[in-house]
Amino acid sequence: MNQFQYVRPTEQTSAVKSFVKDANTQFIAGGTNLIDLMKMGVITPERLVDINRLPLKDIKKTATGIHIGALALNSQVAENSLILQHHPVLALALNAGASPQLRNMATVGGNMLQRTRCGYFFDTSMPCNKRQPGSGCGALEGINRMHAIFGASESCIAVHPSDMCVALAALDASVTVLGLKGERRIPFADFHRLPGDHPEHDNTLQKGELILGIDIPDAPATKNIAYLKVRDRTSYAFALVSVAAVLNIDNGVIKSARLAMGGVAHKPWRLHDAEKSLIGKPATVDNFKQASQIAMQGAKAYKYNQFKLKLGPNTIVQALKTAAGVA
Ligand SMILES: Cc1cc2nc3c(=O)[nH]c(=O)nc-3n(C[C@H](O)[C@H](O)[C@H](O)COP(=O)(O)OP(=O)(O)OC[C@H]3O[C@@H](n4cnc5c(N)ncnc54)[C@H](O)[C@@H]3O)c2cc1C
Ligand code: SF4
């Protein structure tokens, strides 16, 4: 049993100040990821800052969109009437994740910062540059079935496991964070990072920064949405590949398209070139197939995840068909 200190601040600035810079400190929200990692000895914090008493649970309309507090539960977001009305793809993605019990504990901030599910990261007897920088990557020549096909490096080929974040990437959300120097806003696309030479950093947060919430900008209402998650079991399993699709279709012609993939990279993977290829085109299976081929350019598989090179485009096509209501 590792000893740790435990504090429960009631306001944001004291939470940030509680984060002792040099000590091994962690915020804790729902604890559904952090506690597992602590039990397995993957992380051993000396101090936990419990943020559950902070007033960060709001889900509300703002002048430019919808704000979701970092402590809003995954289940509350998925059931919220504003989200269901304006951004139903986010509700679909949330409901595709974990289990009802976990979604009742898991928070939005914790979901964004959940760690990879790479088995070598969890196994403290194996090399892993993310867990222990410089120790090597067990997955590179090991069992890499769940791993990345985009944006990986020689240091790490892990994927980000979140479903929610794939939808938020497609919705052009932004993240507000608070540090000792004050607040700043990070576009969602820049929040998670690629591994490069420093896979120990999952994201662009500075040490001790607290996520306050996310903002999703207003967008034209559409029912042409889909979140398709392909996984080994129909529940309680992380994505092999997932796709969030948000289309605006007028008289059968695509006016705008927003697409992002999960299970394929160290961060939610936005498909800008594929989106561009669809704009102004009829919503047909042939055009969806063409977009899926564009999306897969630059993909690189490893020994055990070659199947993702086929599963990826197939999932994109199926998600687009579902979103467009095309048989
Ligand atoms: C069995 C199982 C199955 C799962 N399946 C899925 C799935 O299919 N899809 C999916 O997307 N997820 C899945 N999850 C992951 C789940 O969604 C996450 O565990 C959960 O979202 C984490 O939220 P939390 O509030 O419990 O975070 P915590 O465990 O409390 O924290 C996670 C991390 O976030 C940090 N943190 C939390 N809040 C903040 C904040 N406001 N500011 C700064 N740092 C913060 C903590 O310091 C910690 O590092 C699964 C989890 C389990 C256990
Ligand atoms: S893929 Fe990343 S998380 Fe997995 S073993 Fe390699 S360095 Fe660690």
Side-chain angles (χ1 to χ4, degrees):
M1 172 77 191
N2 290 311
Q3 303 268 338
F4 57 86
Q5 294 176 350
Y6 176 76
V7 290
R8 268 198 297 190
T10 50
E11 49 115 22
Q12 283 130 231
T13 41
S14 52
V16 170
K17 282 184 189 150
S18 301
F19 209 103
V20 183
K21 252 193 170 167
D22 299 326
N24 188 358
T25 304
Q26 291 275 334
F27 293 122
I28 180 162
T32 61
N33 188 222
L34 187 71
I35 299 293
D36 279 355
L37 294 170
M38 286 172 67
K39 283 187 194 160
M40 298 175 90
V42 177
I43 51 170
T44 49
E46 289 161 17
R47 188 176 169 91
L48 287 188
V49 180
D50 183 339
I51 57 175
N52 285 292
R53 291 185 176 184
L54 304 182
L56 297 174
K57 294 188 175 133
D58 275 6
I59 305 171
K60 62 185 181 199
K61 188 87 189 75
T62 65
T64 53
I66 290 173
H67 176 82
I68 306 175
L71 288 172
L73 299 177
N74 285 188
S75 53
Q76 289 170 335
V77 180
E79 288 159 14
N80 183 273
S81 56
L82 282 172
I83 300 298
L84 290 169
Q85 186 189 345
H86 296 278
H87 303 295
V89 72
L90 177 57
L92 291 180
L94 280 161
N95 283 329
S99 64
Q101 292 89 340
L102 282 159
R103 295 195 294 272
N104 274 333
M105 285 300 291
T107 63
V108 165
N111 190 316
M112 288 164 61
L113 295 191
Q114 63 175 295
R115 308 302 307 272
T116 184
R117 291 281 157 174
C118 171
Y120 300 92
F121 175 72
F122 275 81
D123 185 344
T124 53
S125 67
M126 298 300 288
C128 171
N129 287 323
K130 187 179 277 301
R131 176 172 31 76
Q132 194 181 345
S135 63
C137 171
L140 206 53
E141 302 293 331
I143 305 298
N144 43 36
R145 185 168 173 274
M146 298 293 289
H147 289 70
I149 51 171
F150 291 113
S153 73
E154 288 292 300
S155 300
C156 179
I157 60 171
V159 297
H160 194 268
S162 168
D163 290 293
M164 178 192 82
C165 292
V166 180
L168 289 174
L171 293 172
D172 297 305
S174 63
V175 189
T176 305
V177 303
L178 176 70
L180 284 173
K181 292 183 187 153
E183 277 186 37
R184 68 184 179 109
R185 193 174 270 222
I186 309 169
F188 205 82
D190 299 334
F191 184 82
H192 297 98
R193 60 184 291 285
L194 292 178
D197 293 335
H198 288 286
E200 69 275 20
H201 300 305
D202 293 348
N203 52 62
T204 53
L205 278 182
Q206 302 292 318
K207 193 165 170 54
E209 276 183 324
L210 173 74
I211 301 173
L212 298 179
I214 55 168
D215 286 274
I216 308 176
D218 282 331
T222 175
K223 291 202 173 0
N224 294 119
I225 56 135
Y227 184 75
L228 180 58
K229 177 178 180 180
V230 183
R231 48 189 155 173
D232 287 326
R233 298 181 301 273
T234 49
S235 79
Y236 225 54
F238 290 87
L240 293 165
V241 170
S242 68
V243 173
V246 181
L247 302 176
N248 280 91
I249 301 176
D250 189 14
N251 275 332
V253 175
I254 300 170
K255 297 292 174 197
S256 73
R258 289 183 287 166
L259 292 171
M261 281 177 107
V264 293
H266 200 252
K267 59 188 286 186
W269 197 250
R270 185 81 187 253
L271 307 177
H272 287 295
D273 289 340
E275 292 171 4
K276 277 188 214 137
S277 78
L278 287 167
I279 293 169
K281 300 234 180 87
T284 62
V285 175
D286 279 349
N287 287 331
F288 297 159
K289 282 186 180 163
Q290 205 175 41
S292 75
Q293 293 309 317
I294 291 169
M296 294 304 290
Q297 280 167 13
K300 178 190 166 195
Y302 297 87
K303 187 170 177 189
Y304 293 105
N305 68 352
Q306 297 281 334
F307 70 95
K308 288 194 182 184
L309 298 180
K310 206 165 172 190
L311 184 63
N314 285 350
T315 311
I316 294 170
V317 172
Q318 189 55 49
L320 286 168
K321 281 167 68 177
T322 306
V326 170

